[in-house]
Structures are given as structure tokens and as C-alpha cells.
Amino acid sequence: MLDHAPTAETTLPEWIGVRAKLHGHRPAFTFVSDDGDRETTWTYGELWARASAVAQALRKVDRDVGEGADPTGDQRRALLLFPPGLEFMAGFLGCQIANWIPVPTCYPKPGRAMPRLNSAARDCAPGAIVCDRDTSNTIEETKLDPAARGLVRIETQTEWDRFSQTGDYDADVADPHGLALSPDSLALLQYTSGSTSEAKGVMVRHRNLMANLRAIQVGFGLRHYGETDDDYVRGAFWLPFYHDMGLIGGVLSILYLGGHAVLHSPRSFLQRPIRWLQLISDHRVSVSGAPNFAYQLCVDRIPPEQTDTLELKHWTTAFCGAEPILARTLSDFGNRFAACGFSESAFYPCYGLAEASLLVSGGDGPAIPNVIAVDRLALGAGKIQLANPSPKRGAPKQAMQNLVSCGRAAEGMEIAIVDPQSHRAVAERSIGEIWIRGTSVAAGYWNRNGETDNPFNAKMARGILARTVSSSAEATYFRTGDLGFFHEAELYVTGRLKDIVIVRGRNHYPQDIEASVREVIGDAAGQCAAFSVAAPRGESLAILAELPRHSNAWEMAELVRSIRREIIDVHEIDPRHVWLVRPATVPVTTSGKIKRSQCRELFHSGKLETRHRYDRASASEQTPIAIESLPHPAGPEDLVVVNTTLRAWLAEWLVARAGVEPNQVEIDRPFADYGLDSMTAVELSGELEDWTGIELTPIVAWNHPTIEKMSEFISVQLCLGGSALNESDETAELGNTQFATAHLQRD
């Protein structure tokens, strides 16, 4: 155990530097490839050395342009642009060592625009891009916003290679105690979701970050691990680094404690959810977590025969947050994997948000979740009436809703439930807006401190207090925009005041989505509303869009497909419902603002008149369809049978899992035309891999984007041993397809 813990004045890079000196040999991170065949590990010493190499390159930028030459007079900002892997951590920590502000952004997409990246760049005016070498070689300047063009690029591998040749560091970079960083300087800008005007950079100070890491440690019931500790904590995570739960709740929390974080990509998990649990099993992981949808995906997508070798008894902290937590999901997961050693007492339901660094509330260590039953109708009216969790036989299930407790305020945090109009704190079991204050709460939004309606400067009026809060009349709170109540001193989250749509743990601003819909419809577009509705896996997206009266009915189905494609391409979310309505249907305020909550009420009322409806089939959220046995081993004589079986299965999958109408399925139609979002597409490739054993990389999917081409590719791989598919250029690819087709026609 360490002889000391970080103080209130310690910054994260200083603390990691101390650990690099104390136990530089200990593994800090391991990244596991999607296929599980390759592992890359960095020790604490190597992490510090690689980060210091990046820091030295950024210091050179400072010297070249002049210290303090940033036009805002602030720390310079660096956009971090990395695919999944360890290089991100060298860039992130390197920025902090150099006293630059790291700005985590989305994954690079070669040849495509990146709205979230460009939105962040416009807002924060970066001075450099820090990325890996492959990303640097594939970024197209024309796809970048002017604010991100022509910037200095710091390639992490290049800087490491340069250091490896020279071995020289600036003295103030090599020594963690010589960094002279202020705990009140910014540790990172954590951008909330938003692809147009709504991106907001949460200014997280080192003081905020370290306080929240301490709160996570206490909440999880963990300790710091010192130089001689061999049995240190191990965590496993797949959430992206630009996600606050993935970055802070995942890798940084383990790094802070001196443990070992085992990582793999979001695609790896989405493609085969079993990989997450296998990672936990293989590495004897004790801490891991994800949003609710991930636990549900494991229940839905992992067949019993895949779990025979799983050993989950070491998984003692399974945190869940970032989106509404469903009691049914936790119960189903606990029951499903109890035979693998998982215990429901490992669950740690929690509530948090980027504006609080991360964690706001949670339990005093993991425990069986506290679940209460409330009257559903009363809840919809903003009231809490406890219901009998075991209703009488014949009583309608719809009358009751189970809510999961998110525990108590985290260490150093205060929570108040406040009437959003009067700003008075409300009584126990009364719904109000969740207000928070504490050391973990961020400094505000970048370049937005002058806004009149600043949620970071809220003050309460005098009134009845539900919990003991600060007695200072001048105390300021952050207004979360979330709704909840206290019951027996624990927080229950019930909804939101703001209109943000949360799907799979990611925030989506409705006005961004609405702008995309209007762009598709064109000049004739009327009002449009994007809002969240309940779905089997949590929340989903619904769209109401007004069309002019003269619109042709036969064009509406294609218009819906175009709307879905645009939303998927720009926002990476597939709407579950798209309803086209007549003019003057979408309710607005007198000033023209969309009443999204009223749209939701109209949606659920069943009385809304529509001109065309798209509703993704409910079966698309259920267990995958049954699959037939394929010949094993398969030979050339099986080519026709295998290809026919694959075509039929792909068509059935699109209908049952992606909600495609049966009469819309065509074997030569691109998958993109069916409106598959990134998660659905990855699920499809994962199920195909599980069934056939053929690896389907993004490049393979790109080159074989239809039922016809995909089934031919897999058939040839299975029946001809891939002998016709051993070249990568376009000419060979065309020849391979013709080769497979010739065999099919001949037989």
C-alpha cells in the first residue's frame, strides 16, 4: 500500500508520474484486438515515457510560437483523434504534462466528414491535433472545419520513435514533481454530444478530476495499490475514450489506483458481446461497467452454449449508469449469468454526468440494487405513490413501474431536489430537478460563462429541504436538467426537463437531428420534432415531421428511408419511429419553439393522425433468429446450398432484427438503404461471424454491401477455402466475385 495518497493540490499527471517511479514495471494498460489474438501492454514506466515524448513535442510548439501566445490567453487546446488502442493515453497524458488541454473527440473516419470533431474545433479553437500515425495519414483536410485545418500534428508513435533514438527529455518533463501544474488549471475539455451548434465543452479542472476519482474509489470500496502490492485491482472496459464513463470511470479510475486496465474496442463488444465477459473472465477482472443497454445486449445476444467457460466470480463491481437503468435488465443479467459465478451483489447502479466530472451518486460499495415499485400513472403526473411490488392476481402490470436507486451523494458532493420554477427544495418523495454542488463539479462550459441562463450558477430560494444541503444562502449549484426524488435518503432518477435524447449512453440534441430531417425534406419542410420514447432496451428516437399537403403518398416510404440514412450517417443513431404528418400537427410555442414533451404525449395517445408511419419491428430488439447448420467441413459441392442458406438468413435477419418490411428486401440492394445504424450493422456482422466463423472486417463489409455479395463472399470462403479471395486490389476483388458467381451458375 502507498504510504500516502494524493492531496487536494495533486494533479493527475503528477500522480501518474509518482506511480511510474514507484512501480514502473507494473502493467498499466493492455489492449486486446477484436479477434482476441493480439495483446499490447504498456507498463506505468512505458506510459510515462511515451506521454513525456508527446509532452516534449508540445513544449516545442510552445517555444516555436511563443509561450502565452494563445489569443485567448488560456492554456492551448489539442484535439485528440484516435481509434481504439493505447496511443490515446500517450496523447491524453502528454497534453496534461505539457499543460495543454486535451480535447477527446470521436473516432477518425477516413474520407468522411466528422461533425462532432468539427463542432468541437469551432468551439475551442485548437492549436494542434494529437493523433496516431495512421490517422494522420488518412485525415482529409477538406473534410475538416477551417478551425481544424493546417494545425500542427503530433503523431504519438513518431514522437516515441524520436525519443527512443535520443533518450533525451527536458528536465521539467521527465520529473513529475517539476511539472509546476496548478490544480485549478484545466485537465480536459469533455464535449457533450452535438454535431452542429450545441456542442459544449465541459471545463474539468485537475482539482475536479482528482476529487471525482477519489469519489469513485470510495464509492466502489477500493484502495490505492502501492509498490509491493501484487494483487492490484484489474478493470475491463470497451467504452470509447471520448465518453466520460469510458475515460474517467474506466481507464483513469484504475490508473489512479495503480491497477491494470484491460481494454478492447466498442466494435469488438457490439459485434460479439461475449467478448466483454470473456475479457473479464480471462483477466480475473474485478471492476467493469457500462450503460444499461450493454447488459441488455449480453442477455439478448449471448447464447447459453457460449458461457460454459466463463468465470465471473471475480467481478465484484459491475457499475451501470449514463442512461436510464432498468430493473428488469439488471435482474435478467443477474439471473442469466449466475451460473457463471456472477452475483447480483456486484451491481453498482449510479448517476453521473460530464458536468460533475462523472460520478454524482452511488452506493456505499456494490450491493444488490434497491428497487421500489411506484404507481405508473402517478409518476407520469409528477407524483410518487409507492405500489405493491407483488400486486394481486389479475391486477394490470402496466399500473406499476419499478425504479432503481442510484444511491447517495458521492463523496464531496451535495444533491438537492428542487422545484424548477420556484427554485425551492422539495420534500422527500416529491419529484423535482436534481441540483448538485461539490468539488467534482466542473468550472463551466468553454466560452459560455457569460450566458445569462448559466446552469452552473443556480441559487435556491428558501423552502423545505428534502436533504441537508449547504446553509449558505450564496451557495451556487449546477442544474442538471434531470428529474428525480429522494426515498429513504437515496436518489431515484425519473426523467429529464431538457430535451436531450440518450440512446446507448450517448447524448443527442434534438435540434441537431431536426435540422438533418429538414435538410432531407428540403424547402417544403414544415415543423419537425425529435424526442425520446421508451423501447425494450431503454430509450429510442422518434421523429414527427410535417409534409406539405400536396406530397405524393407513393414517395413517402422512400422519404423515410432517406431521413433514416441521413440521421444514421450524421448522428449514428437509427430512429425507431418516423411519422410523417400534416402541416400544423407538431405543437409549438407562441415564439415558434417545438413542444417536444407534448409531441411525446401525442405520440403515446394513439390519436395522432399520420400520413405515413415507419415503426421498427419490436422483434428487432429480441434474441437473434435461429440459424441452420452449415456443412462442416464444406466443399465446392456445397457452394449452392451454403449460398442459398445465407441469402435466406440475411433476408430473415433484416426483417426480424432490423425492422425491414419483407417486401423491401432485395438481394442486390445495399444494406445502407435499409437504414442500418452502426450498432445494428456491427450486430449483423457479429452474428454472421459467430455462425460461419468467417471474419467480417469493416473493409469486407464495405466491399460486399448487399445480401447477394455478402453471401457469395462467405460461401466462397467456406466452400473454397478462400482460395479465390487472397488478393486485395479492386481487380482481384471483382474477379473473386465473378469466380464465385461462375461456380454458382455452373452448379
Side-chain angles (χ1 to χ4, degrees):
M1 182 179 294
L2 284 174
D3 294 332
H4 65 284
T7 70
E9 303 302 307
T10 307
T11 65
L12 181 66
E14 290 171 339
W15 186 238
I16 302 309
V18 168
R19 289 202 170 279
K21 288 190 172 184
L22 284 175
H23 47 77
H25 62 284
R26 180 182 298 169
F29 299 109
T30 294
F31 184 79
V32 181
S33 63
D34 285 357
D35 57 16
D37 292 340
R38 300 179 305 280
E39 294 187 0
T40 305
T41 298
W42 288 358
T43 64
Y44 277 81
E46 186 173 2
L47 169 64
W48 182 256
R50 287 177 176 269
S52 296
V54 173
Q56 187 149 297
L58 291 170
R59 290 287 181 87
K60 183 178 184 301
V61 175
D62 283 333
R63 290 193 294 270
D64 290 344
V65 301
E67 294 279 0
D70 184 85
T72 65
D74 296 301
Q75 298 165 265
R76 288 191 177 86
R77 281 76 61 202
L79 295 174
L80 304 187
L81 192 56
F82 291 89
L86 301 185
E87 295 295 331
F88 171 91
M89 290 309 305
F92 179 84
L93 189 58
C95 287
Q96 292 188 331
I97 292 172
N99 202 24
W100 280 55
I101 306 172
V103 184
T105 59
C106 55
Y107 296 148
K109 297 178 181 178
R112 296 180 59 190
M114 291 171 280
R116 291 181 50 156
L117 167 70
N118 288 331
S119 180
R122 286 192 298 272
D123 189 63
C124 76
I129 292 178
V130 179
C131 58
D132 65 304
R133 188 177 292 141
D134 289 342
T135 297
S136 182
N137 292 335
T138 56
I139 294 177
E140 291 189 24
E141 287 281 326
T142 58
K143 301 294 184 181
L144 296 177
D145 186 85
R149 294 178 191 168
L151 296 178
V152 174
R153 293 187 189 173
I154 307 297
E155 299 175 3
T156 51
Q157 298 103 320
T158 300
E159 299 309 322
W160 174 241
D161 291 344
R162 182 177 293 120
F163 164 75
S164 299
Q165 294 172 6
T166 64
D168 294 330
Y169 281 139
D170 294 340
D172 59 349
V173 169
D175 182 7
H177 297 296
L179 298 180
L181 299 176
S182 167
D184 291 315
S185 61
L186 295 185
L188 75 151
L189 282 183
Q190 181 70 57
Y191 269 88
T192 60
S193 299
S195 59
T196 57
S197 60
E198 286 296 330
K200 294 181 180 179
V202 179
M203 299 189 294
V204 181
R205 298 187 182 101
H206 283 285
R207 190 185 303 280
N208 307 142
L209 179 58
M210 293 295 280
N212 208 250
L213 291 172
R214 162 69 182 171
I216 293 170
Q217 173 201 341
V218 173
F220 288 1
L222 302 174
R223 65 178 179 87
H224 286 287
Y225 296 85
E227 182 179 7
T228 59
D229 287 311
D230 292 328
D231 189 22
Y232 41 80
V233 66
R234 292 171 178 83
F237 309 100
W238 54 265
L239 286 166
F241 293 131
Y242 59 78
H243 192 295
D244 52 355
M245 179 185 279
L247 177 61
I248 298 173
V251 293
L252 294 187
S253 67
I254 299 298
L255 202 66
Y256 172 81
L257 297 174
H260 179 199
V262 185
L263 313 172
H264 65 160
S265 72
R267 181 181 185 275
S268 177
F269 164 71
L270 293 174
Q271 195 172 43
R272 294 185 185 176
I274 185 65
R275 288 170 171 162
W276 178 31
L277 304 188
Q278 195 67 57
L279 210 64
I280 293 170
S281 176
D282 292 347
H283 291 267
R284 300 168 64 90
V285 161
S286 60
V287 177
S288 189
N292 183 92
F293 89 90
Y295 292 93
Q296 186 64 51
L297 204 61
C298 288
V299 173
D300 290 345
R301 285 279 314 279
I302 300 177
E305 59 269 19
Q306 290 187 0
T307 64
D308 292 343
T309 61
L310 283 183
E311 181 59 75
L312 302 179
K313 67 180 181 181
H314 301 285
W315 190 8
T316 55
T317 303
F319 59 87
C320 183
E323 65 180 3
I325 303 171
L326 303 183
R328 177 185 59 103
T329 295
L330 300 188
S331 176
D332 288 351
F333 186 92
N335 292 333
R336 173 71 178 76
F337 297 101
C340 304
F342 181 81
S343 169
E344 283 190 285
S345 62
F347 278 129
Y348 190 86
C350 50
Y351 167 68
L353 63 165
E355 288 84 352
S357 301
L358 180 63
L359 184 67
V360 171
S361 71
D364 296 326
I368 295 175
N370 284 339
V371 179
I372 62 172
V374 300
D375 184 275
R376 186 185 296 274
L377 294 177
L379 181 65
K383 300 177 182 179
I384 299 301
Q385 294 180 9
L386 298 183
N388 183 356
S390 302
K392 296 180 181 179
R393 181 176 298 178
K397 293 182 179 179
Q398 301 93 315
M400 183 184 71
Q401 180 168 334
N402 290 325
L403 299 177
V404 179
S405 167
C406 291
R408 302 169 184 257
E411 182 177 274
M413 188 70 67
E414 295 178 359
I415 304 175
I417 306 298
V418 181
D419 183 280
Q421 279 75 45
S422 69
H423 291 191
R424 296 181 184 276
V426 300
E428 180 120 336
R429 288 208 300 273
S430 295
I431 295 177
E433 185 180 7
I434 301 171
W435 288 22
I436 61 174
R437 67 189 304 268
T439 313
S440 294
V441 176
Y445 297 122
W446 182 264
N447 281 340
R448 294 173 185 255
N449 286 342
E451 293 184 358
T452 55
D453 188 20
N454 191 333
F456 284 90
N457 294 327
K459 293 185 180 181
M460 281 200 299
R462 300 192 179 200
I464 303 173
L465 293 181
R467 305 292 312 142
T468 301
V469 295
S470 172
S471 59
S472 172
E474 299 302 314
T476 59
Y477 292 80
F478 172 72
R479 298 186 61 172
T480 67
D482 293 323
L483 297 173
F485 65 93
F486 284 120
H487 171 66
E488 295 182 351
E490 296 194 350
L491 176 68
Y492 292 79
V493 182
T494 60
R496 287 186 300 281
L497 275 175
K498 51 192 177 183
D499 293 320
I500 287 178
V501 177
I502 303 178
V503 177
R504 300 197 294 272
R506 179 184 291 184
N507 295 349
H508 299 271
Y509 287 92
Q511 49 267 53
D512 286 355
I513 298 171
E514 291 157 3
S516 295
V517 175
R518 286 192 293 270
E519 185 173 339
V520 172
I521 298 175
D523 296 337
Q527 298 289 356
C528 174
F531 50 93
S532 62
V533 294
R537 284 183 182 171
E539 291 190 3
S540 62
L541 173 65
I543 303 288
L544 292 184
E546 294 178 351
L547 293 183
R549 299 184 186 280
H550 61 270
S551 299
N552 296 319
W554 61 84
E555 297 176 343
M556 293 184 186
E558 180 58 36
L559 179 61
V560 166
R561 286 191 287 271
S562 298
I563 288 172
R564 291 177 63 206
R565 281 196 297 267
E566 180 70 11
I567 295 174
I568 289 167
D569 189 47
V570 176
H571 307 282
E572 298 182 340
I573 176 177
D574 185 7
R576 186 179 179 86
H577 309 277
V578 180
W579 290 6
L580 305 182
V581 297
R582 300 180 185 279
T585 299
V586 175
V588 296
T589 66
T590 54
S591 61
K593 295 181 179 179
I594 304 296
K595 294 182 177 180
R596 298 186 183 91
S597 59
Q598 190 172 337
C599 289
R600 187 180 298 107
E601 293 174 6
L602 286 171
F603 177 90
H604 288 301
S605 70
K607 301 177 181 179
L608 193 61
E609 293 187 8
T610 61
R611 302 187 64 184
H612 182 87
R613 290 190 182 190
Y614 164 77
D615 298 290
R616 197 188 321 156
S618 60
S620 66
E621 303 289 353
Q622 305 304 316
T623 305
I625 59 175
I627 55 179
E628 298 184 28
S629 297
L630 295 174
H632 183 77
E637 68 279 5
D638 300 307
L639 196 59
V640 172
V641 171
V642 171
N643 184 69
T644 302
T645 303
L646 285 166
R647 284 186 179 184
W649 186 90
L650 282 165
E652 187 178 354
W653 194 97
L654 288 171
V655 172
R657 296 273 290 138
V660 178
E661 295 294 332
N663 60 2
Q664 294 178 1
V665 177
E666 301 171 10
I667 65 170
D668 59 349
R669 185 177 184 179
F671 292 124
D673 284 358
Y674 299 116
L676 272 64
D677 66 4
S678 57
M679 177 178 174
T680 309
V682 169
E683 286 183 11
L684 171 58
S685 64
E687 291 185 38
L688 275 171
E689 284 191 5
D690 286 343
W691 180 23
T692 65
I694 302 299
E695 182 180 5
L696 300 176
T697 66
I699 294 176
V700 168
W702 178 269
N703 289 333
H704 304 82
T706 67
I707 291 176
E708 182 178 35
K709 291 184 178 180
M710 181 62 74
S711 60
E712 285 182 1
F713 171 82
I714 297 176
S715 299
V716 171
Q717 290 279 44
L718 284 173
C719 300
L720 306 180
S723 59
L725 297 163
N726 55 6
E727 299 182 64
S728 59
D729 60 78
E730 294 181 4
T731 302
E733 191 65 52
L734 178 61
N736 295 333
T737 303
Q738 292 172 342
F739 180 88
T741 305
H743 272 269
L744 295 170
Q745 292 173 342
R746 183 187 66 191
D747 292 342

